Amino acid sequence: MDFSQSTNIDVTESDFSVAEEYQALVEENPKDGAVVFFVGLVRDMNQGHCIQGLHLEHYPAMTKKALLSIVERARQRWSLGRVRLVHRVGSLKVNDQIVFLGISSPHREASFEAAQFIMDYLKTEAPFWKKETTSDGERWVEANEKDSVARKRWSET
Amino acid sequence: MTKVLFFASLREQAQCDSLEVCLDHNITVAELKRKLIEKNDCLKRALNGNVLTAVDQEMVNDSFCIANGSEVAFFPPVTGG
């Protein structure tokens, strides 16, 4: 099997190790000269509320399919090597890791742009929903207008 | 039978996570929503706002035609990442 253009997607309740994910991107990968990665974390303040923790719900039958489709669209636009995407679900605390996206490519421009593209689409198309526990009780996080705007810059229909 | 699923705030408003409907002919997403809204006030509350729809796990718009036996999911705008 050729691992030079592998896509690895994981939706899990478990935490991930950035070091291990990075290792999986670079190990025996002489073709790619660039790795870009992004880690999303739980912030302590959101939309004016003080956050104690959150619960991430998803649509199990659709989640991986949606993420794979986003990565495939990125692969059509840029020449990418390996793509690794981990998204956590379940209960998380402030400062916990939520999402890891790592991309390798021959040159850095492709990884940088594809990382933005994949995160912009993940934020607007992947079926995840956050419910925050705040000092005032529980609330569903509202979708951000800025995420839809960010996605539109890639001008896909 | 067509399975209808609700997620996140819509599931809470609908007060159910899934239900089954029998479609005697193919109908659009908009028509299915109207049909469900007429059933009860909980579904009305759930489906009247900003709702996204997936049919067989693919995002679709209101004019998409649903075949009987599909899995239809209604949910609010997503907030992952």
Side-chain angles (χ1 to χ4, degrees):
Chain A
M1 196 179 159
D2 181 9
F3 288 105
S4 60
Q5 291 201 334
S6 62
T7 298
N8 192 285
I9 292 172
D10 201 10
V11 179
T12 172
E13 290 193 11
S14 314
D15 197 9
F16 52 82
S17 153
V18 172
E20 283 170 25
E21 291 300 325
Y22 174 75
Q23 196 55 33
L25 287 164
V26 298
E27 207 164 52
E28 293 173 53
N29 186 4
K31 287 183 183 149
D32 291 332
V35 170
V36 166
F37 70 78
F38 166 80
V39 179
L41 307 166
V42 181
R43 267 198 320 270
D44 66 351
M45 281 295 286
N46 189 36
Q47 297 172 351
H49 296 263
C50 194
I51 309 306
Q52 293 160 345
L54 61 82
H55 187 85
L56 253 155
E57 175 177 333
H58 73 130
Y59 176 7
M62 178 176 172
T63 315
K64 264 196 166 179
K65 218 164 143 177
L67 295 173
L68 191 61
S69 148
I70 295 168
V71 172
E72 285 311 310
R73 274 179 275 162
R75 284 193 182 282
Q76 283 165 18
R77 290 177 76 128
W78 295 280
S79 172
L80 306 178
R82 297 177 187 173
V83 178
R84 298 185 65 84
L85 180 51
V86 185
H87 203 297
R88 292 180 68 191
V89 291
S91 295
L92 299 174
K93 305 183 301 294
V94 170
N95 207 231
D96 276 354
Q97 303 183 129
I98 305 174
V99 60
F100 175 90
L101 169 64
I103 305 175
S104 71
S105 57
H107 304 286
R108 71 180 184 284
E109 292 81 0
S111 298
F112 268 128
E113 288 186 20
Q116 297 262 33
F117 175 96
I118 291 170
M119 284 311 302
D120 287 347
Y121 275 87
L122 185 153
K123 284 271 186 186
T124 50
E125 287 190 2
F128 294 102
W129 302 276
K130 290 187 187 118
K131 191 179 206 180
E132 293 172 339
T133 310
T134 73
S135 38
D136 309 320
E138 291 187 330
R139 64 182 284 270
W140 289 101
V141 174
E142 283 163 35
N144 252 323
E145 176 61 21
K146 80 169 173 60
D147 292 327
S148 319
V149 172
R151 199 201 65 186
K152 287 187 184 116
R153 69 181 145 156
W154 304 107
S155 66
E156 278 197 339
T157 46
Chain B
M1 292 301 267
T2 296
K3 197 166 188 185
V4 181
L5 307 174
F6 300 95
F7 288 96
S9 53
L10 260 66
R11 183 192 58 242
E12 291 180 356
Q13 287 166 331
Q15 295 184 1
C16 77
D17 55 11
S18 71
L19 53 88
E20 288 196 329
V21 288
C22 193
L23 308 179
D24 39 10
H25 58 96
N26 292 358
I27 63 170
T28 64
V29 168
E31 285 165 339
L32 175 62
K33 271 192 209 165
R34 269 201 298 278
K35 216 173 141 112
L36 293 171
I37 282 169
E38 284 166 13
K39 270 183 186 267
N40 64 54
D41 283 349
C42 294
L43 290 173
K44 187 177 174 180
R45 243 193 325 274
L47 294 171
N48 258 338
N50 189 1
V51 176
L52 300 182
T53 311
V55 174
D56 293 330
Q57 301 92 40
E58 304 263 2
M59 295 270 244
V60 297
N61 58 31
D62 272 0
S63 58
F64 185 87
C65 200
I66 305 164
N68 199 21
S70 304
E71 179 174 286
V72 181
F74 293 115
F75 44 80
V78 301
T79 55

